[in-house]
Amino acid sequence: MVSPISHLPLIIVLLLSFSLANSASLQESFVQCLNLNSDRTFPFYSSIYTPSNPSFTSILDSSAQNLRLLVPSAPKPEFIFTPSRDSHVQAAVICSKKLGIHIRVRSGGHDYEGISYVSEIETPFIVVDLVKLRGINVDVKSNTAWVQAGATTGEVYYRIYEKSSVHGFPAGLCTSLGIGGHITGGAYGTMMRKYGLGVDNVLDAQIVDANGRVLDREAMGEDLFWAIRGGGGGSFGILLWWKIKLVPVPPTVTVFTVTKSLEQGATKILHRWQEVAPYIDENLFIRVIIQPSSDGRNKTQRTITTSYNALFLGGARTLLQVMKTSFPELGLTRKDCLETSWIKSVLYIAGFPSDTPPEVLLKGKSTFKNFFKAKSDFVREPIPETGLEGLWQRLLVEDSPLMIWNPYGGRMSQFSESETPFPHRNGTLYKIQYLSLWQEGDKNAAKHIDWIRKLYNYMGPYVSSLPREAYVNYRDLDLGINTKNSTSYIQASAWGYRYYKNNFDRLVKIKTKVDPQNVFRHEQSIPPLPL
Ligand SMILES: Cc1cc2nc3c(=O)[nH]c(=O)nc-3n(C[C@H](O)[C@H](O)[C@H](O)COP(=O)(O)OP(=O)(O)OC[C@H]3O[C@@H](n4cnc5c(N)ncnc54)[C@H](O)[C@@H]3O)c2cc1C
Ligand SMILES: *[C@@H]1O[C@H](CO)[C@@H](O)[C@H](O)[C@H]1NC(C)=O
Ligand SMILES: *[C@@H]1O[C@H](CO)[C@@H](O)[C@H](O)[C@H]1NC(C)=O
Ligand SMILES: *[C@@H]1O[C@H](CO)[C@@H](O)[C@H](O)[C@H]1NC(C)=O
């Protein structure tokens, strides 16, 4: 599908000159350009928010998850544009390119370093927020759905559930993620061991490219279609729609959460989990949430709790058999198990209270929003108990640390490393996510960031190396940052091989071909090679 806009005579574009003297005129020039490049009758002014607009702050903050990037000292956009049609996104690309305005794209706002709404490397910049573009068309007959970038994972799950109780989609556990940004980096969830990632279940897409054209899979070609399925957001174009493949889910699934403290033998059980969880029945996903908590008996004495939080695609009886055979150490009993529907398991895993109706998923409600810094690692060999004990010592001295361990294996091992840009496949036992959270007004933000960096150093010997792999959807600017002159391949290789392994080189080649002028750029966007 190619839009008529791409046929607009270039001469009109070139004849216009704009004053960039101040932000008012920048905004005016942008609106003028939008009007020229799309349906003139549309009142663009009402979808543009400058800092003087009373709604500016609430729109900017709305979907942003990391409050660390919303503090007053964080760079703010000149304005936010909220397109309400696909053609407006095309016009935004054409106009930002023509006016030389740096553009950031936001779908669900969950970027860990806030790069969808903050630019540390370039001013002025604008935010194109796709919040109004959230169409979802589910077609159960063909097992597919077309989903627009601004829709959340929760909305997608709900719209599937509305049409069928035996279909689902294997993407994020968190229900407020924007489908646009989320799938670009991989997208894992509780069904990854059975069905792989979100990117493994994408059939087609529509993107706006660097020239403002809308391209589907056929028009963009297999190279670019490969790149957008895991090559990270904000590098290759603006995703408008994903066509996803629905997967079967049983009418009854089982969830449980079993918690073990150090006093209850947590270290030994977790050591065993590393050997079991990646190889167990692929219908079973057992993640572990690890944090310090106060010991019930002595409030000044903290312990470590490990919570085994799981989804089984089947009934409790079968689950208990699987656990008895493969992981008796956890001591799972029938009364730990809750049999429920797939959609309710989504609410359970996302942490909603037990009687929350599924309709909450339509509110795009986030259960997170924190000041935080996070990092990730992939583990290929079990960490010895002594390594775990050193980890507990480090967690015990931090205010609000959190770790989440996600098992791999199953379907994840059946893809080659280069099948999609997401390379963390066969041989990966599990992924670790480290977080430190804090409250507003905490003067110790720097101390918490320092703590997590030291923890990361401590973990070095126990995790993947050469490269030390990281998950691009858990973006971490400590791994390296493109400066304004971001065409440096050397600079970008600092993080590129960690996120993509050798796929990084292919991503750079594709980027050089489809966006040689680097229209889509940010702190960790794929660099084009110099022409
Ligand atoms: C609380 C929380 C829970 C999470 N849980 C999971 C999980 O279970 N599984 C998982 O895999 N990940 C998870 N993540 C990580 C999440 O997948 C990434 O943060 C993802 O990038 C979010 O997408 P978004 O659209 O919400 O974010 P945004 O901040 O809007 O965008 C993220 C990146 O993609 C770019 N981008 C956004 N929209 C588009 C678009 N339409 N086209 C091209 N580029 C775009 C942005 O510029 C930015 O670079 C979680 C994150 C948080 C904060
Ligand atoms: C509680 O734990 C602290 C720290 O380990 C210890 O000093 C204190 O004696 C304990 N108090 C009780 C009542 O056990
Ligand atoms: C995964 O790796 C293991 C160990 O190297 C190997 O035995 C197995 O065949 C691989 N599986 C696939 C599907 O490639
Ligand atoms: C960035 O590139 C420009 C043009 O190539 C050059 O003049 C400038 O010195 C570079 N800046 C930095 C910081 O490298």
Side-chain angles (χ1 to χ4, degrees):
M1 179 175 12
V2 174
S3 129
I5 286 174
S6 56
H7 304 307
L8 204 110
L10 197 64
I11 193 75
I12 297 185
V13 164
L14 295 175
L15 285 175
L16 292 162
S17 74
F18 298 95
S19 153
L20 299 180
N22 56 54
S23 91
S25 68
L26 189 65
Q27 178 210 0
E28 272 159 28
S29 311
F30 189 73
V31 169
Q32 220 175 342
C33 178
L34 290 178
N35 281 328
L36 267 174
N37 283 282
S38 61
D39 177 3
R40 272 173 170 281
T41 58
F42 190 82
F44 280 111
Y45 268 105
S46 63
S47 49
I48 291 196
Y49 302 85
T50 59
S52 62
N53 186 309
S55 303
F56 177 80
T57 304
S58 68
I59 302 257
L60 180 65
D61 294 4
S62 58
S63 65
Q65 290 295 298
N66 196 341
L67 302 178
R68 171 165 66 88
L69 284 314
L70 287 179
V71 295
S73 59
K76 307 290 178 219
E78 292 298 298
F79 57 84
I80 303 165
F81 175 44
T82 56
S84 46
R85 299 174 197 181
D86 290 350
S87 60
H88 300 170
V89 181
Q90 294 179 270
V93 170
I94 291 168
C95 295
S96 67
K97 195 172 162 187
K98 195 163 51 184
L99 298 170
I101 316 174
H102 183 39
I103 182 174
R104 293 289 166 120
V105 187
R106 183 162 81 173
S107 289
H110 284 57
D111 192 279
Y112 275 25
E113 300 280 11
I115 65 152
S116 53
Y117 49 94
V118 175
S119 170
E120 307 278 359
I121 54 173
E122 236 173 297
T123 48
F125 69 98
I126 64 168
V127 170
V128 175
D129 189 335
L130 307 182
V131 62
K132 290 182 191 159
L133 301 178
R134 48 209 308 159
I136 300 173
N137 304 315
V138 176
D139 181 29
V140 171
K141 249 191 269 137
S142 64
N143 285 324
T144 60
W146 275 102
V147 181
Q148 211 169 8
T152 62
T153 40
E155 287 167 331
V156 174
Y157 302 151
Y158 184 87
R159 295 300 175 202
I160 296 171
Y161 146 79
E162 219 177 21
K163 295 237 167 120
S164 162
S165 57
V166 292
H167 287 80
F169 184 64
L173 299 89
C174 168
T175 57
S176 51
L177 306 172
I179 216 76
H182 178 48
I183 295 186
T184 57
Y188 80 88
T190 52
M191 298 197 288
M192 63 186 278
R193 303 192 63 254
K194 175 88 171 181
Y195 296 118
L197 305 170
V199 290
D200 302 326
N201 293 279
V202 162
L203 300 168
D204 203 338
Q206 287 188 21
I207 69 166
V208 177
D209 77 354
N211 296 314
R213 293 175 304 182
V214 174
L215 308 175
D216 66 4
R217 178 176 184 168
E218 201 189 336
M220 76 179 87
E222 289 303 303
D223 267 349
L224 184 50
F225 187 62
W226 174 85
I228 60 174
R229 284 174 297 150
S235 281
F236 296 99
I238 302 185
L239 246 302
L240 291 175
W241 294 85
W242 288 110
K243 184 183 187 184
I244 60 174
K245 184 170 81 193
L246 309 184
V247 301
V249 298
T252 302
V253 305
T254 308
V255 292
F256 69 81
T257 305
V258 170
T259 300
K260 299 287 181 191
S261 67
L262 291 183
E263 293 70 25
Q264 295 166 312
T267 308
K268 282 207 152 48
I269 299 171
L270 186 63
H271 185 266
R272 180 73 187 139
W273 172 90
Q274 303 177 92
E275 299 167 341
V276 171
Y279 302 104
I280 207 163
D281 187 329
E282 64 185 25
N283 291 299
L284 180 53
F285 173 89
I286 314 175
R287 65 172 178 163
V288 196
I289 300 166
I290 302 170
Q291 57 197 330
S293 69
S294 57
D295 186 315
R297 283 150 302 172
N298 182 344
K299 296 287 179 216
T300 57
Q301 172 94 51
R302 287 170 108 201
T303 183
I304 298 289
T305 55
T306 53
S307 290
Y308 294 81
N309 178 238
L311 169 71
F312 179 63
L313 295 168
R317 260 188 73 157
T318 320
L319 169 62
L320 286 165
Q321 276 163 12
V322 170
M323 289 296 280
K324 200 172 147 199
T325 312
S326 304
F327 196 16
E329 294 83 353
L330 190 63
L332 187 75
T333 65
R334 178 62 183 86
K335 72 177 192 324
D336 296 320
C337 301
L338 175 67
E339 287 188 331
T340 187
S341 61
W342 177 73
I343 195 71
K344 289 201 171 154
S345 80
V346 166
L347 298 171
Y348 176 91
I349 295 281
F352 288 100
S354 64
D355 42 12
T356 309
E359 284 67 30
V360 74
L361 297 174
L362 298 179
K363 295 189 181 148
K365 212 172 130 124
S366 158
T367 51
F368 193 70
K369 284 233 181 201
N370 272 291
F371 293 79
F372 71 95
K373 172 68 194 164
K375 291 180 171 295
S376 62
D377 261 321
F378 289 87
V379 180
R380 296 177 157 263
E381 275 170 46
I383 301 173
E385 285 186 32
T386 52
L388 297 177
E389 278 154 9
L391 187 50
W392 307 155
Q393 293 316 310
R394 281 162 177 84
L395 291 177
L396 284 168
V397 299
E398 173 65 353
D399 295 349
S400 253
L402 176 67
M403 282 200 296
I404 304 177
W405 293 17
N406 283 284
Y408 272 55
R411 184 86 183 103
M412 289 297 288
S413 298
Q414 291 162 4
F415 292 90
S416 77
E417 287 192 356
S418 58
E419 188 136 340
T420 69
F422 181 100
H424 323 288
R425 302 283 190 170
N426 194 17
T428 301
L429 298 181
Y430 60 96
K431 182 188 67 200
I432 298 182
Q433 175 178 199
Y434 315 90
L435 296 119
S436 179
L437 317 177
W438 60 91
Q439 300 297 311
E440 180 160 23
D442 189 333
K443 303 259 187 313
N444 293 319
K447 196 188 92 183
H448 300 304
I449 292 172
D450 185 54
W451 173 82
I452 203 168
R453 287 175 181 160
K454 288 194 169 124
L455 178 74
Y456 190 70
N457 287 343
Y458 167 76
M459 290 300 286
Y462 302 113
V463 299
S464 66
S465 59
L466 300 173
R468 183 170 181 177
E469 298 165 46
Y471 180 31
V472 65
N473 266 359
Y474 293 161
R475 196 185 301 290
D476 178 3
L477 294 185
D478 289 350
L479 301 179
I481 186 163
N482 299 339
T483 54
K484 189 172 174 184
N485 286 8
S486 62
T487 46
S488 167
Y489 171 79
I490 305 283
Q491 229 165 26
S493 11
W495 48 264
Y497 291 103
R498 292 166 186 259
Y499 290 150
Y500 311 112
K501 298 183 83 170
N502 290 331
N503 296 326
F504 179 59
D505 292 332
R506 184 171 172 200
L507 289 169
V508 169
K509 276 196 199 110
I510 295 169
K511 170 77 177 183
T512 307
K513 202 167 125 212
V514 303
D515 184 15
Q517 292 174 44
N518 210 14
V519 171
F520 300 111
R521 61 185 182 272
H522 57 69
E523 287 79 354
Q524 288 185 340
S525 56
I526 305 289
L529 292 171
L531 296 173

